Amino acid sequence: MAPPRADAGKNDHYARSRVCSHHTASRRSVRPVTAARLVARCVHGLEPTLAAEVVGRELGVITRIGHREVRFRLCGPPAEPRTADDVFLLAAERPDIGAARDAVDALAELADLADVDRLSRWRRRWAGAAAPAGVEVSASFLGRRNFNRYDAEDVVGAALARRLGVGYHSRRAGTAPPPGYRGWRLTLDGERATLMLRVTDRPLHRRAYKRRTIPGTLHPPLAAAMAAIADIRPGHHVIDPCCGAGTLLAEAAHLQPRAGLHGFDLDRTAVEAARTNAAGLPVTIERADAGRLPVPDGAADRVLCNPPWGGQAPARGALAASLEPWWSELRRVLAPGGAAVVLLPDAEGLAAAVRQRLSPEHVQRVRVAGAQPYVVQLHATAPHGRRGG
């Protein structure tokens, strides 16, 4: 079966309908940033979903959707998109320096262009922090270069430190920065070099609720995107048959706290981790086999799941020999007209879904942790009961 065409669906259409023209601004060769312009970074493939969240929550007016980022102008009080890995204040831009090693020093110009006083005022609206004790810089670039990320980081970091009169922590040695050091981000995308200031003290993907983790745990912004795609409504009965550390259910609870959220896992360690992470949230966690769920036929309005595909989290119990019972059980518990949003490692899993009379309505490929799985939304079209719970 050939991989389906990646389709952002209605979220993509909704987000792009509000995208502002960015061509005039991008033609300027070098420019400081004087307004509160934000850059939300995300998993590759989630750009349309992140843009839809920014628009749907009225967080800002979108100015550009690019590789792993959505740019927008702030419309109201500071807010943090849950589908973003991180959010930054746009500090300065200049043309990309290209691949030459001897061009790296030109990146120091970004530190001179940044309006650091204005950036500090905006950042205080989020973090309310005192003056930074120092700076650190994280860099990434597209394409081959004759320099590495640390070369670029050190040039910009040293220039920022001189400008601000503070210390600079190089990431070259792989050590964590001292407390109070403020995070900056540098990207080079082939057209422009962009300098940004993180709006919070730590990346947004490091959720406060995530006190425990297990192998194979889901990336929180990706879980938030899956919950958003599921379109969970108040009163919906939502289950995760293989809940792991409970990330999907925790993100669903933040999105729609008036839904009934229930997780199951056969692994005792996972159940304990999920209960710890879901503490204080409207989520219940039980130990159960995903191939034999204690759920009546057609009881679930929504199913959210990252099944154990044999990677970091091996399949157990009724699924140890084959994942076919998982598909059958998912179809059994899903109500007519209900929907499931699952993470598939490849497009072959869609064949099993179709055999169970589950109709794929939305297919979105993402890149996370070196893999390229599919986020798939499936709809149940008719009753398919087997037994009571």
Side-chain angles (χ1 to χ4, degrees), residues 1 27 33 41 54 67-68 88 94 102-103 137 146 150 160 206 215 232 247 249 274 292 312 314-315 335-336 368:
M1 179 176 177
R27 283 197 294 264
V33 175
R41 301 277 298 173
V54 170
H67 175 76
R68 293 195 60 193
F88 300 86
R94 57 149 291 138
D102 57 7
V137 179
N146 294 324
Y150 304 114
L160 281 170
R206 296 181 186 172
I232 302 168
T247 309
L249 294 170
R292 293 186 290 266
Q312 290 179 297
V368 60

Side-chain angles (χ1 to χ4, degrees), residues 36 38 57-60 72-81 87 89 121-128 199-200 204:
L38 302 178
R57 292 177 55 192
E58 299 182 348
L59 304 183
F72 60 100
R73 290 196 300 270
L74 195 65
C75 283
E80 299 158 5
V87 175
L89 285 158
R121 289 196 298 270
W122 275 106
R123 192 182 183 281
R124 281 196 294 271
R125 296 184 63 182
W126 270 271
V199 300
T200 55
L204 293 184

Side-chain angles (χ1 to χ4, degrees), residues 94-110:
R94 57 149 291 138
D96 194 315
I97 60 171
R101 173 66 182 85
D102 57 7
V104 174
D105 289 344
L107 292 172
E109 180 183 24
L110 292 168

Side-chain angles (χ1 to χ4, degrees), residues 322-349:
S322 168
L323 281 177
E324 196 69 28
W326 180 84
W327 285 108
S328 177
E329 192 71 343
L330 184 154
R331 185 64 187 86
R332 180 187 69 80
V333 302
L334 197 59
V341 177
V342 300
L343 194 66
L344 303 182
D346 52 54
E348 296 300 323

Side-chain angles (χ1 to χ4, degrees), residues 150-188:
Y150 304 114
D151 298 330
E153 290 170 359
D154 288 348
V155 167
V156 175
L160 281 170
R162 287 194 299 269
R163 174 102 189 265
L164 296 170
V166 297
Y168 166 62
H169 174 81
S170 175
R171 295 163 55 91
R172 195 180 292 269
T175 58
Y181 273 53
R182 195 160 291 174
W184 294 72
R185 177 79 177 177
L186 171 68
T187 61
L188 297 93

Side-chain angles (χ1 to χ4, degrees), residues 44-353:
H44 182 44
L46 289 187
E47 296 92 345
T49 308
L50 172 56
E53 181 185 2
V54 170
V55 173
R57 292 177 55 192
E58 299 182 348
L59 304 183
V61 176
I62 297 190
T63 58
R64 182 175 183 267
I65 301 176
H67 175 76
R68 293 195 60 193
E69 70 174 36
V70 173
R71 299 188 179 195
F72 60 100
R73 290 196 300 270
L74 195 65
C75 283
E80 299 158 5
R82 297 196 69 84
T83 54
D85 278 9
D86 219 343
V87 175
F88 300 86
L89 285 158
L90 188 56
E93 291 184 297
R94 57 149 291 138
D96 194 315
I97 60 171
R101 173 66 182 85
D102 57 7
V104 174
D105 289 344
L107 292 172
E109 180 183 24
L110 292 168
D112 296 329
L113 286 170
D115 186 342
V116 293
D117 292 333
R118 184 183 294 270
L119 290 167
S120 294
R121 289 196 298 270
W122 275 106
R123 192 182 183 281
R124 281 196 294 271
R125 296 184 63 182
W126 270 271
V135 298
E136 63 156 338
V137 179
S138 173
S140 63
F141 48 76
L142 297 179
R144 293 183 177 274
R145 311 278 173 151
N146 294 324
F147 54 88
N148 60 41
R149 58 182 295 181
Y150 304 114
D151 298 330
E153 290 170 359
D154 288 348
V155 167
V156 175
L160 281 170
R162 287 194 299 269
R163 174 102 189 265
L164 296 170
V166 297
Y168 166 62
H169 174 81
S170 175
R171 295 163 55 91
R172 195 180 292 269
T175 58
Y181 273 53
R182 195 160 291 174
W184 294 72
R185 177 79 177 177
L186 171 68
T187 61
L188 297 93
D189 65 5
E191 296 181 5
R192 61 177 66 82
T194 305
L195 180 64
M196 300 165 277
L197 172 63
R198 179 178 289 124
V199 300
T200 55
D201 291 332
R202 67 178 188 175
L204 293 184
H205 67 83
R206 296 181 186 172
R207 305 292 207 237
Y209 70 78
K210 197 98 176 202
R211 295 181 288 275
R212 292 190 57 181
T213 186
I214 61 172
T217 189
L218 197 60
H219 187 55
L222 177 55
M226 292 174 64
I229 291 168
D231 189 26
I232 302 168
R233 306 294 177 85
H236 270 175
H237 184 88
V238 182
I239 70 167
D240 182 346
C242 313
C243 70
T247 309
L248 269 167
L249 294 170
E251 293 298 329
H254 282 92
L255 179 69
Q256 181 48 263
R258 291 191 291 164
L261 303 161
H262 310 275
F264 304 92
D265 206 290
L266 190 58
D267 185 82
R268 294 184 186 275
T269 301
V271 169
E272 293 171 1
R275 286 173 176 169
T276 298
N277 292 335
L281 298 174
V283 175
T284 62
I285 306 293
E286 297 180 44
R287 185 170 181 264
D289 192 324
R292 293 186 290 266
L293 292 171
V295 177
D297 295 352
D301 299 291
R302 297 289 186 268
V303 173
L304 295 172
C305 196
N306 175 26
W309 299 110
Q312 290 179 297
R316 300 175 180 177
L319 308 183
S322 168
L323 281 177
E324 196 69 28
W326 180 84
W327 285 108
S328 177
E329 192 71 343
L330 184 154
R331 185 64 187 86
R332 180 187 69 80
V333 302
L334 197 59
V341 177
V342 300
L343 194 66
L344 303 182
D346 52 54
E348 296 300 323
L350 290 175

